[in-house]
Amino acid sequence: MAFELIEKHGEHEQVIFCHNKRAGLKAIIAIHNTALGPALGGTRMWPYKNEEEALVDVLRLSKGMTYKASAAGLNLGGGKAVIIGDPKTQKNEALFRAFGAYVNSLQGAYITAEDVGTTVKDMEYVFMETPYVTGIPAAFGGSGDPSPYTAHGTLMGIKAACKEKLDSDSLQGLHVAVQGLGNVGSHLVDFLVKEGAKVSVADIDMGRIKALCDRHKVDVLDPQEIVVSDCDVLAPCALGAVINDSTVHELKCQIVAGGANNQLAEARHGEILKERGILYAPDYVINAGGLMNVFVELEGYSSDRAFEKTTQVYHNLLQVFNIAREENITTQKAADELAERRIQSIAALRKQLHGRTARPFSTLKEMSSRKS
Ligand code: NAD
């Protein structure tokens, strides 16, 4: 059954089942594509109902990382890992070190990071066994919290969407509604206010609202209402599936551009947005700032360079909008096309260069030396 599922979910290069009885480790690493560089993606720890559910999740997520890295213009491939277990009760040092040993055995073909259910602390244990881990604390030469960079990339994405839809990327006086004031949303509001936008916010956590209102003068809306509120730009920065059957026909914004993952409940909701003339900035393109930040870590980390890198989101999205316009397809499909085109052209170039690898592989040598 495992092979059928692997075949069904795309052409993955390698799927590794990791098991260590002593440490209680049951994990799967999926390397989807390394045409552009080493496969990078976080390790998710989750109490999956069964192995099939875990396998499907890691296959799907690793493929998503290939597209995200490619559309971001990074020399990275797509990979992901899942650890089967309850992150609240089943974590221990041995588990993450056993997992780290598996990551190490791949010799840099897969680079891990934290994800849902894992923390920077867990990655410190992984780091004891392998240098091929990112998102470690700044004290270890890592890049730390990615959310300010995700938020900055999202700001750049909002500007690109305004350029496309409104013919100006100035946010002065523009009304932006931000749903979710967590790590990404609160930083985004800081940037938006600085740009002179009129900002409305909503969160289900009153503590987050209060913290923000202490810093800025913003309108506070009901969490249910904000999605369909009267605004120029809706910036979803909370949960996924915000654009769904009950909201898509009620939206009053001209642009949907925010940092949340999986904003469209289904691909057909992207079609409806297109029909309604609402410009959608595909989630994995606009929220790539965090990944860019981690990429900079591979080159020897500098916060300034990471912020600079996130400005690339602006250009990436303009390319997506161009493809969508020229081919009369949704922006979501256009993003996939941009990602696929880049992989194909670089893979062809590699072939011509007799497989000579690009620079990130040499930075991996630096990663290995980072440990000592
Ligand atoms: P977070 O948990 O810090 O913040 C989420 C916020 O949304 C919380 O304050 C929560 O109370 C609020 N919220 C939840 N349901 C809500 C609702 N119905 N209405 C209004 N507010 C609601 O998470 P985050 O790190 O800020 O990430 C936000 C989104 O961005 C997620 O979808 C995440 O997957 C995505 N993302 C984050 C990063 C990153 O660097 N942190 C990178 C890429 C994508």
Side-chain angles (χ1 to χ4, degrees):
M1 174 222 296
F3 291 112
E4 272 171 37
L5 285 175
I6 293 168
E7 254 182 62
K8 187 174 158 203
H9 285 271
E11 295 178 9
H12 290 71
E13 289 178 12
Q14 222 181 334
V15 181
I16 303 101
F17 287 77
C18 318
H19 179 253
N20 186 306
K21 195 173 172 188
R22 188 184 293 268
L25 175 73
K26 285 183 188 168
I28 312 172
I29 300 171
I31 297 178
H32 178 253
N33 188 293
T34 56
L36 297 174
L40 191 145
T43 298
R44 183 164 290 195
M45 185 166 181
W46 197 252
Y48 292 102
K49 281 203 292 290
N50 50 45
E51 285 148 28
E52 182 180 336
E53 196 182 77
L55 179 58
V56 169
D57 207 28
V58 78
L59 292 171
R60 190 178 57 81
L61 293 168
S62 56
K63 186 175 177 186
M65 288 306 296
T66 296
Y67 280 75
K68 183 167 184 166
S70 176
L74 298 172
N75 286 335
L76 288 176
K80 202 88 182 181
V82 294
I83 296 177
I84 301 172
D86 187 339
K88 292 200 190 89
T89 56
Q90 287 176 285
K91 281 186 181 180
N92 60 64
E93 177 181 350
L95 178 89
F96 284 103
R97 292 188 69 160
F99 174 69
Y102 270 103
V103 173
N104 201 47
S105 72
L106 297 169
Q107 299 180 330
Y110 169 66
I111 303 171
T112 198
E114 64 175 300
D115 195 71
V116 175
T118 58
T119 62
V120 170
K121 180 76 198 155
D122 303 330
M123 291 307 124
E124 279 184 47
Y125 290 134
V126 174
F127 188 47
M128 288 177 186
E129 299 296 332
T130 182
Y132 303 117
V133 50
T134 55
I136 53 172
F140 291 87
S143 58
D145 177 12
S147 40
Y149 306 90
T150 304
H152 193 253
T154 303
L155 175 81
M156 292 298 139
I158 292 173
K159 280 172 160 282
C162 290
K163 179 77 185 156
E164 172 74 12
K165 182 78 188 165
L166 311 172
D167 207 23
S168 163
D169 60 15
S170 165
L171 303 185
Q172 189 71 42
L174 222 67
H175 185 177
V176 185
V178 180
Q179 184 204 35
L181 298 174
N183 295 319
V184 175
S186 58
H187 285 294
L188 178 62
V189 173
D190 292 343
F191 291 129
L192 289 169
V193 168
K194 226 170 158 181
E195 293 280 330
K198 173 180 176 320
V199 180
S200 301
V201 301
D203 198 293
I204 49 172
D205 179 342
M206 285 317 286
R208 304 266 196 178
I209 299 268
K210 183 171 178 327
L212 195 96
C213 288
D214 286 347
R215 290 206 304 278
H216 301 298
K217 198 172 162 294
V218 292
D219 286 338
V220 178
L221 301 180
D222 183 280
Q224 305 297 326
E225 295 299 315
I226 193 160
V227 177
V228 296
S229 66
D230 204 348
C231 60
D232 298 303
V233 181
L234 171 67
C237 294
L239 308 174
V242 169
I243 311 300
N244 53 41
D245 282 338
S246 52
T247 58
V248 72
H249 294 287
E250 307 300 322
L251 296 175
K252 294 178 194 70
C253 56
Q254 305 195 61
I255 291 165
V256 177
N261 276 318
N262 306 318
Q263 292 170 36
L264 303 177
E266 292 171 44
R268 68 186 169 82
H269 295 113
E271 301 280 356
I272 301 172
L273 288 181
K274 178 173 176 287
E275 281 160 23
R276 291 200 55 206
I278 298 172
L279 183 65
Y280 171 60
D283 45 11
Y284 74 78
V285 184
I286 192 171
N287 71 19
L291 183 62
M292 291 171 171
N293 182 51
V294 158
F295 179 79
V296 172
E297 188 175 324
L298 301 183
E299 297 181 319
Y301 190 65
S302 141
S303 169
D304 284 351
R305 241 175 337 108
F307 270 115
E308 178 59 32
K309 193 139 195 96
T310 60
T311 59
Q312 182 63 35
V313 172
Y314 182 94
H315 306 285
N316 297 342
L317 272 174
L318 288 186
Q319 283 187 72
V320 168
F321 297 145
N322 260 327
I323 295 173
R325 214 179 326 102
E326 280 168 10
E327 301 194 5
N328 193 23
I329 56 177
T330 64
T331 51
Q332 185 77 27
K333 279 195 190 134
D336 291 353
E337 199 162 313
L338 175 71
E340 285 164 10
R341 279 185 197 175
R342 180 161 177 257
I343 291 168
Q344 276 158 19
S345 84
I346 301 302
L349 178 75
R350 281 268 173 83
K351 210 168 164 194
Q352 191 199 18
L353 298 175
H354 308 295
R356 260 186 287 147
T357 52
R359 217 166 61 81
F361 287 105
S362 65
T363 64
L364 286 180
K365 278 199 208 122
E366 290 159 28
M367 282 186 90
S368 357
S369 63
R370 190 171 72 175
K371 213 179 167 206
S372 51

